[in-house]
Amino acid sequence: MKQAAKKIAHIPIVYETTTTAITTSPYFGSSSSSSSNPRETKPSIMSENEQLKELRTQKLPPKLAKKAGEGWITKPSIEDIESVHKLLRKEYGPRVQRSTTDRVILDDVIHTILSQNTTDKNSSAAFRTLKSTFSSWEVARLAPRDNVEAAIKVAGLKTAKAKAIQGLLNQLHSERGDLSLEYLRDLETEEAKRILTSFKGVGPKTAACVLCFGMGRAEFAVDTHVHRVCKDRLQWVNDKFSREETYSWMNSVVPDKDKYSLHYLIIQHGRKVCKAKSPRCGDCILSGKNLCAYDIQNNHENKEIQSDEENSESESEVESDHKKNKGIKRKGKEKVTSNEKTSKKIKN
């Protein structure tokens, strides 16, 4: 797939000779400082691009930032995130994060494990069957593996998922003596994430889903649709990134207030319009807004094709006119030759 690199406006730092330097920033707030030396040169305003770069350098995992390269550090811009979010809200309606006080974290973890590589319909059906087959998670933990597999088979990958579920229950029982993860609510997000990913079968995506939907934390979960739209279409992340790397990047750059809603809206957009094989760019709310790199590239290619077709038509017209003129000259020459022959006959 051809990549379309979006231009980023770089505003240089403006230096002035002043007694007071004031810096205003949506990230760092406002501050002022006075100088007793009127000739002292200080940066009066740090550009938004520089502020964003500094902020993300602090937040992004160093290895990931190095892999992406310096040119990606300001992608996506806050303006791009807000613009895309606004348009998707307009298209699909707002998404408001609901209260999670009635959620059971262990249930959410197991349900999310079942949701891997299947549809929501199948994972929900498998979870209901699992809960109705076993009266408690303790019973499920001690049950023969075949019984657990039979209960969740509709979700697919029954062997791997049954192993992950019973492994989680056994590890939790061994480490804490009871089958509950409610204690995670009292921990900081990063610590809760570390504990969740310590269980086999629970990766960053599963942990992010549990933290966001089960615990109400600001996490930007990345599934196959979000990964595709962010990487291949919007090109907000480096095209070499895995899904986990896309999660780390987007979770660092998307503002906390937008994470829940934007996650849901991108999934809806990926399912309905921005599909994997045949994206419906003509029906896309982002099309023509200079926000989607894939759309920009397609428009550029279409213009090139149109230009080539116009040039081809123009060349055909010129060639046709040339042949026509050649034919007229040939007829004129034949007419002259005929007149000369007639003149010779009259003389004879």
Side-chain angles (χ1 to χ4, degrees):
M1 181 182 293
K2 295 181 179 180
Q3 304 294 322
K6 205 175 172 187
K7 293 183 179 179
I8 300 174
H10 291 276
I11 307 172
I13 294 177
V14 179
Y15 289 89
E16 296 178 353
T17 302
T18 178
T19 57
T20 304
I22 301 176
T23 305
T24 303
S25 163
Y27 310 101
F28 301 104
S30 300
S31 63
S32 63
S33 60
S34 297
S35 172
S36 59
N37 183 1
R39 295 185 179 182
E40 185 178 354
T41 303
K42 288 188 176 182
S44 61
I45 297 176
M46 177 183 280
S47 74
E48 187 172 323
N49 209 48
E50 289 295 325
Q51 294 174 48
L52 190 61
K53 184 175 180 180
E54 183 174 332
L55 180 68
R56 290 185 176 173
T57 300
Q58 295 170 3
K59 292 184 69 175
L60 286 165
K63 288 184 179 180
L64 192 62
K66 184 177 180 181
K67 180 176 180 178
E70 189 174 346
W72 287 87
I73 203 74
T74 53
K75 295 183 181 181
S77 70
I78 298 299
E79 285 185 0
D80 282 351
I81 294 172
E82 290 177 347
S83 297
V84 169
H85 195 185
K86 182 179 179 180
L87 288 168
L88 293 181
R89 279 201 310 269
K90 180 181 178 181
E91 183 76 0
Y92 303 108
R95 298 294 307 214
V96 180
Q97 193 163 16
R98 294 173 293 181
S99 171
T100 60
T101 54
D102 61 338
R103 303 289 289 259
V104 178
I105 298 177
L106 182 56
D107 284 14
D108 284 327
V109 174
I110 292 174
H111 196 163
T112 308
I113 289 173
L114 291 171
S115 73
Q116 295 169 4
N117 299 298
T118 191
T119 63
D120 292 342
K121 181 180 178 181
N122 287 343
S123 63
S124 295
F127 184 75
R128 287 194 299 270
T129 304
L130 188 63
K131 291 280 282 186
S132 62
T133 301
F134 305 103
S135 58
S136 68
W137 290 127
E138 177 65 16
V139 174
R141 181 179 77 85
L142 299 172
R145 180 70 53 80
D146 290 347
N147 292 0
V148 178
E149 291 180 6
I152 65 172
K153 64 181 180 181
V154 68
L157 301 174
K158 61 180 183 179
T159 302
K161 291 178 180 179
K163 182 180 179 181
I165 290 169
Q166 288 193 307
L168 163 67
L169 296 173
N170 284 323
Q171 184 178 340
L172 193 54
H173 180 269
S174 174
E175 292 178 357
R176 295 195 57 87
D178 69 320
L179 301 181
S180 174
L181 287 170
E182 295 306 305
Y183 72 97
L184 295 180
R185 295 188 188 278
D186 298 326
L187 304 178
E188 295 292 332
T189 298
E190 289 304 313
E191 179 62 12
K193 189 187 300 184
R194 185 192 66 76
I195 291 172
L196 285 169
T197 53
S198 70
F199 298 110
K200 291 183 179 180
V202 179
K205 178 206 166 186
T206 299
C209 287
V210 172
L211 287 164
C212 182
F213 311 126
M215 298 172 62
R217 304 295 177 89
E219 281 285 308
F220 189 79
V222 173
D223 74 341
T224 183
H225 299 291
V226 177
H227 181 54
R228 178 179 69 254
V229 173
C230 289
K231 182 172 76 75
D232 298 331
R233 304 296 160 72
L234 295 173
Q235 294 179 21
W236 281 355
V237 299
N238 192 294
D239 59 359
K240 298 176 183 177
F241 279 6
S242 66
R243 188 189 299 182
E244 290 187 6
E245 289 170 330
T246 296
Y247 156 72
S248 294
W249 188 275
M250 294 305 297
N251 197 49
S252 296
V253 304
V254 176
D256 287 351
K257 64 182 178 62
D258 297 326
K259 287 179 179 178
Y260 177 88
S261 175
L262 188 59
H263 163 84
Y264 260 120
L265 292 171
I266 289 180
I267 287 177
Q268 282 185 280
H269 193 60
R271 287 173 174 171
K272 294 182 178 181
V273 177
C274 199
K275 300 182 177 183
K277 293 184 179 179
S278 302
R280 294 163 47 202
C281 296
D283 299 324
C284 181
I285 188 70
L286 306 179
S287 182
K289 304 292 194 305
N290 204 35
L291 291 168
C292 175
Y294 185 83
D295 175 59
I296 293 169
Q297 181 67 21
N298 276 351
N299 286 338
H300 178 70
E301 289 177 353
N302 290 337
K303 285 180 181 179
E304 284 187 340
I305 292 171
Q306 185 178 357
S307 177
D308 289 343
E309 288 176 350
E310 289 175 354
N311 290 337
S312 179
E313 289 177 2
S314 179
E315 288 174 0
S316 297
E317 289 175 1
V318 170
E319 187 176 350
S320 176
D321 290 342
H322 179 69
K323 287 181 179 180
K324 189 176 181 180
N325 292 333
K326 199 172 182 181
I328 290 171
K329 288 180 180 179
R330 188 184 296 113
K331 286 181 180 179
K333 190 174 181 180
E334 289 174 354
K335 189 174 181 180
V336 169
T337 305
S338 177
N339 290 338
E340 288 177 350
K341 288 182 179 179
T342 303
S343 179
K344 285 181 180 180
K345 285 182 180 180
I346 291 173
K347 288 179 179 180
N348 292 333

